[in-house]
Amino acid sequence: MNKLKAVLLLLMIFSFEIASAQSYIYIKPDRIFDGEKNLERYGVLIKNNKIESIENQLTIEKNLPKDTKVIDLKGCTLLPGLIEGHTHLFLHPYNETPWEDQVLKEARSYRTSRAVVHAERTLKAGFTTARDLGTEGAEFDDVGLKKAINDGIIEGPRLLIATKALIATGSYAPKGFSPDIQVPQGAEEADGHDDLIKKVRNQIGHGADLIKIYADYRWGLRGEAAPTFSIDEIKLIVETAKSAGRPTVAHASTAEGMRRAILGGVETIEHGDNGTSEVWKLMVEKNVCLCPTLAAGDAISQYRGWKKGIDPEPERIKKKKETFKQAFDAGVKICFGGDVGVFAHGDNARELEMMVEYGMKPIDALKSATSINSDAFHLENQVGRVKVGFLADILVVDGNPTQNIKDIRNIKLVMKDGKIIGE
């Protein structure tokens, strides 16, 4: 009997210690955008690193656990932590250093040092998850960057990484050098049945969460963009990646490159500048998402001398506006992703602003950066929504970005995995 009492006493002490170790935070904004809709006068209770409840503030405040930390943010909107769908943490703006010079002249140790800073800036801008679509010549250095973030050594978003990415031999860059020398490339060359399988598996074995291919690139006879891999090659890449549970995504700007990538089984098309009505229809049929990277094209045009708001729009910008509207009107799912690295990390919201500038409603742009990206990237039960049981990745901004998208920059609080960034 005494032994039983002792066991019961120990269980009571253990239960008390567990209860004492629980950490509760209650955030009280004016409204919540839960990834799909607005909830006025709702609050969020966070327990440790997960969302415990989302209810009307009057209801939730009646049953707050003892010692809950209360954060009252009047005039603010609470959102899921945003998801950046297309970034290159190992690149920095091309008006600082041209892409080729970054790939050929900057040491990988230097590029990794920059990537550490870029990751922190991305997180502090409210992007708690990011899909990094290639190190652009920095080999597998994104694997170590991701581990350093996960281990708490540095601050940054949770990462989905593509490592090297895959290109058809001779199609990518840097170019323009003597044919007598071998120049390092911005991605890994691969061709044919055995080579493609081996290199897909090698990237996965080194830590790739997804496989990125270049379905076309500027290697046409006159320097224009032209398709690279055949449909059969793309199907082989997709099948090999899928057998290891990895999706495949494709850089594609030509209609034929997009068509081959879609029929080959990729899950997202990056850029899609010259899509057609037939391509958009095929994307809807195959449930392939478009990541339009509007901000990258806008930035490059400005680097080339375009004075936005003063000069007439370049043809490239006019064409992008047209195809973006066509895709959206056709019912293509639009992912959010800016191709950050072409422009400054931490300025990720530039893409949201441009999505609205090009015709989307603010709330639809925010859906792309939260719930749509979450579903498209297979994160649907973890992040991208303010929902019970999801990870406590949260952004709070002053104002209402579902009405004025520029309010997304008025950051009051960023939380990742239940921890407030900066505390």
Side-chain angles (χ1 to χ4, degrees):
M1 195 65 181
N2 287 337
K3 285 184 179 179
L4 179 60
K5 286 181 180 179
V7 169
L8 290 171
L9 181 60
L10 285 171
L11 286 172
M12 289 173 63
I13 293 169
F14 183 64
S15 299
F16 176 76
E17 287 178 347
I18 291 176
S20 300
Q22 305 295 353
S23 172
Y24 290 93
I25 298 174
Y26 170 50
I27 305 178
K28 182 180 178 181
D30 275 12
R31 73 194 59 79
I32 293 172
F33 170 69
D34 68 359
E36 296 174 351
K37 62 187 181 301
N38 278 335
L39 301 169
E40 300 291 335
R41 301 297 172 187
Y42 269 58
V44 176
L45 181 65
I46 294 148
K47 178 181 178 182
N48 298 327
N49 71 329
K50 291 192 175 180
I51 296 172
E52 177 79 358
S53 64
I54 310 122
E55 296 183 78
N56 178 280
Q57 291 173 8
L58 293 175
T59 302
I60 207 167
E61 287 166 14
K62 289 178 182 177
N63 301 296
L64 282 180
K66 186 181 178 183
D67 297 326
T68 296
K69 179 180 180 179
V70 178
I71 303 175
D72 194 345
L73 292 165
K74 288 183 171 60
C76 293
T77 302
L78 182 149
L79 310 91
L82 303 177
I83 303 172
E84 173 57 63
H86 191 134
T87 191
H88 294 280
L89 291 170
F90 288 83
L91 293 176
H92 58 101
Y94 298 174
N95 63 333
E96 296 175 358
T97 306
W99 178 86
E100 288 196 355
D101 286 353
Q102 293 185 46
V103 174
L104 294 176
K105 296 180 180 180
E106 293 181 351
R108 282 169 50 197
S109 54
Y110 175 81
R111 296 182 69 190
T112 299
S113 299
R114 276 190 171 275
V116 170
V117 175
H118 298 159
E120 182 179 2
R121 288 177 180 171
T122 301
L123 179 60
K124 289 183 175 179
F127 292 82
T128 54
T129 301
R131 194 174 61 152
D132 190 289
L133 294 186
T135 61
E136 303 288 341
E139 297 291 316
F140 293 109
D141 292 347
D142 53 350
V143 176
L145 183 73
K146 176 181 175 179
K147 180 172 172 53
I149 292 170
N150 290 347
D151 290 351
I153 297 168
I154 61 173
E155 287 192 329
R158 60 186 83 253
L159 292 179
L160 299 172
I161 57 173
T163 66
K164 293 183 178 183
L166 288 173
I167 51 172
T169 296
S171 64
Y172 200 40
K175 285 185 179 296
F177 296 85
S178 166
D180 301 321
I181 61 173
Q182 197 75 20
V183 179
Q185 293 291 287
E188 185 171 26
E189 294 182 325
D191 311 276
H193 186 275
D194 292 353
D195 193 38
L196 285 170
I197 290 175
K198 182 177 181 179
K199 285 176 178 172
V200 168
R201 288 174 175 168
N202 185 56
Q203 290 188 10
I204 290 170
H206 278 81
D209 299 306
L210 66 149
I211 297 298
K212 180 192 176 182
I213 66 169
Y214 284 77
D216 55 31
Y217 204 69
R218 297 185 295 274
W219 73 322
L221 182 61
R222 296 171 183 82
E224 74 279 11
T228 54
F229 296 112
S230 68
I231 294 176
D232 286 342
E233 285 178 314
I234 295 172
K235 284 182 177 178
L236 179 62
I237 292 167
V238 169
E239 180 185 354
T240 305
K242 187 174 284 188
S243 70
R246 268 71 166 188
T248 302
V249 308
H251 164 114
S253 62
T254 65
E256 178 60 16
M258 294 172 72
R259 187 186 73 86
R260 292 186 191 183
I262 296 160
L263 293 176
V266 306
E267 297 192 5
T268 68
I269 294 288
E270 311 301 309
H271 313 302
D273 294 9
N274 297 292
T276 63
S277 57
E278 292 79 12
V279 167
W280 308 137
K281 183 179 178 183
L282 192 61
M283 290 183 75
V284 172
E285 288 176 1
K286 301 293 186 181
N287 195 31
V288 176
C289 299
L290 174 66
C291 192
T293 65
L294 307 177
D298 181 84
I300 288 170
S301 293
Q302 292 190 59
Y303 299 159
R304 291 173 178 169
W306 174 46
K307 296 180 177 61
K308 187 173 182 177
I310 299 173
D311 296 341
E313 290 181 339
E315 285 302 313
R316 173 178 181 167
I317 298 296
K318 290 179 182 178
K319 178 69 173 176
K320 189 71 174 181
K321 282 187 174 182
E322 290 174 10
T323 54
F324 178 70
K325 186 177 187 305
Q326 288 168 5
F328 186 68
D329 290 346
V332 176
K333 286 183 183 175
I334 306 295
C335 290
F336 168 87
D339 203 355
V340 196
V342 174
F343 59 99
H345 296 277
D347 192 24
N348 306 61
R350 181 173 179 172
E351 180 78 7
L352 280 170
E353 292 167 345
M354 294 204 62
M355 292 168 86
V356 174
E357 180 185 332
Y358 282 25
M360 285 183 88
K361 295 178 181 177
I363 197 166
D364 289 328
L366 290 170
K367 286 178 185 177
S368 289
T370 54
S371 56
I372 290 175
N373 270 8
S374 173
D375 294 345
F377 305 160
H378 306 284
L379 302 169
E380 56 267 31
N381 295 316
Q382 303 171 55
V383 296
R385 290 176 173 85
V386 182
K387 191 171 181 180
V388 173
F390 276 45
L391 293 173
D393 282 14
I394 284 171
L395 168 65
V396 182
V397 298
D398 194 14
N400 184 358
T402 64
Q403 292 183 358
N404 179 7
I405 197 63
K406 290 188 180 297
D407 286 347
I408 202 69
R409 293 183 181 271
N410 302 331
I411 294 173
K412 301 290 286 187
L413 179 147
V414 178
M415 175 181 284
K416 178 191 168 193
D417 206 30
K419 296 175 182 176
I420 297 173
I421 304 305
E423 283 195 348

